[in-house]
Amino acid sequence: MPSKVFFTSRRSTSHKESLPTKLAQLFDAAGFNQIIAPKDLVAIKMHFGEKGATAFISPVFVRQVVEKVRQYQGKPFLTDTNALYVGKRNNAAEHIETALANGFGYATVQAPIVIADGLKGRSYREIPVNLKHFASVKIASEVLDADAFLALSHVKGHILMGFGGAIKNVGMGCGSRAGKQMMHSTIRPKVNPDKCRGCASCRRWCPADCISLVDRPEAMPGAKSHAEEASSSGSAPKLSAKVAVIDSEKCLGCGECTITCPEGAIKINWKTEAFAAQERMVEFAYGAIKDKLEAGKCGFINFLINIAPDCDCNTWSDTPVVPDLGILASKDPVAIDQASVDLINGATGIPGTALKQNLAPGQDKFADLHPESDYPAQIRYAESIGLGSRNYQLIEI
């Protein structure tokens, strides 16, 4: 039997069918009231956007979802996990500051913000999955502890995954910071000696005991050292005589060192085969929600609005590549992502955007934006491990 995916279009012609009003109707049509029991702590998983981005889900829509959860006597909270990259969301303090700056204050959305993996990304639990890439995955504790789970996903392109929808929001978005390193790359991290100041924080947190401090190497001939740069800029150099090195043979690739380093001296290698990264991301999604899916405590809402070519993690938002289409809701993360792809690819592309040639209805917009990604791999793999079905029935309300 095909999974049900409910859809409301972007068209609104009166106050009775404004998009926020239709979102509330969509919530009920999808049966999300069945997900929520009185006093349930309901995690509303979303992306608060980076400072400078504008395409993330509007707080106006989030408020509608919060109000529906409260209507069914649930206790909602907005949540996301800390980012792995350098930015304004890699610790809970700055993450919440960014969310507030982007409009997600309590006065607007009527729900508190809880960063799911804690202050520095270390609040997680190992969840057994026993799948192709991982025996277990590192999932943020507050996601696991919630009684019910709603994923609000802004659908867009992605430089590595090709396409970002519900599966990416759950998989990448519910993994701890170390988990994100596991998903993004199988290459072991390396220390940049020009940034390392020998504080040994990474060594204290390394579970494999594979980091040691050695005498600092001399700068390459002709290169300007970190200390020289600091001196020329008027600030005192902070480098010690020692520098950290990682034994790649012993390294587990867990990413704890990249989280811990206060100087950003341990580099992440983002180069990896896109389809393998997608499969690893899917396995994290499986670990994050498998129990709640089986218990009927999950719902997914995809926003096909401001459909940008790249992720909301950027500090900017490029022009949308197709017109706003509407909003989807389903209890099946695979079906809702497949429906999102089909609707976007069925739309007419906007000239003068990042789309190069696939502008006609029916042409693949995401393959045009990120041809190296093979983005359908994530949806196929998610179906193969039991996260849902690509076979869906689209029901318009």
Side-chain angles (χ1 to χ4, degrees), residues 10 53-56 154-157 303-312 316-326 344 347-356 358-359 365-366 369:
R10 180 64 182 84
T54 57
F56 52 83
H154 172 222
V155 176
K156 64 276 182 185
F303 290 79
L304 276 58
I305 297 171
N306 291 323
I307 304 163
D310 291 304
C311 185
D312 294 342
W316 70 92
S317 297
D318 199 354
T319 306
V321 297
V322 300
D324 290 350
L325 301 176
I344 292 169
T348 300
I350 299 175
T353 66
L355 284 174
K356 302 174 184 66
N358 291 356
L359 277 74
K365 309 303 186 289
F366 297 105
L369 294 169

Side-chain angles (χ1 to χ4, degrees), residues 156-281:
K156 64 276 182 185
H158 190 270
I159 191 170
L160 179 61
M161 306 302 175
F163 161 82
I167 295 170
K168 180 182 179 295
N169 186 20
V170 175
M172 192 66 66
C174 291
S176 68
R177 292 190 74 209
K180 289 178 173 65
Q181 163 70 13
M182 294 164 62
M183 283 181 269
H184 275 99
S185 179
T186 55
I187 306 299
R188 303 307 186 221
K190 291 184 178 180
V191 177
N192 179 349
D194 284 342
K195 289 187 175 182
C196 176
R197 58 183 177 87
C199 69
S201 294
C202 55
R203 186 171 66 175
R204 287 193 292 272
W205 280 96
C206 178
D209 193 25
C210 70
I211 302 177
S212 56
L213 293 181
V214 301
D215 291 336
R216 179 175 299 281
E218 293 183 1
M220 294 293 291
K224 191 174 184 180
S225 72
H226 181 77
E228 290 171 332
E229 289 180 356
S231 178
S232 63
S233 66
S235 60
K238 300 179 181 178
L239 303 181
S240 71
K242 298 290 186 179
V243 65
V245 294
I246 300 172
D247 184 338
S248 61
E249 295 298 320
K250 294 172 64 178
C251 177
L252 303 174
C254 69
E256 290 288 355
C257 56
T258 66
I259 298 169
T260 302
C261 180
E263 301 300 318
I266 303 179
K267 296 181 65 175
I268 300 162
N269 191 316
W270 298 102
K271 295 180 180 179
T272 185
E273 293 183 82
F275 78 92
Q278 292 182 59
E279 290 181 349
R280 293 195 291 271
M281 176 183 73

Side-chain angles (χ1 to χ4, degrees), residues 5-6 17 28 39 46 69 76 83 108 128 189 226 257 262 322 336 341 371 382:
V5 179
F6 297 84
E17 57 175 33
D28 289 333
K39 298 184 179 181
M46 52 177 300
V69 172
T108 302
H226 181 77
C257 56
V322 300
I336 198 171
V341 166

Side-chain angles (χ1 to χ4, degrees), residues 1-6 329-336 339 383 387-395:
M1 177 179 291
S3 296
K4 293 180 178 180
V5 179
F6 297 84
S330 180
K331 294 180 181 178
D332 184 331
V334 177
I336 198 171
E383 182 181 50
L387 269 179
S389 171
R390 287 182 291 168
N391 184 21
Y392 67 89
Q393 176 188 5
L394 192 67
I395 304 169

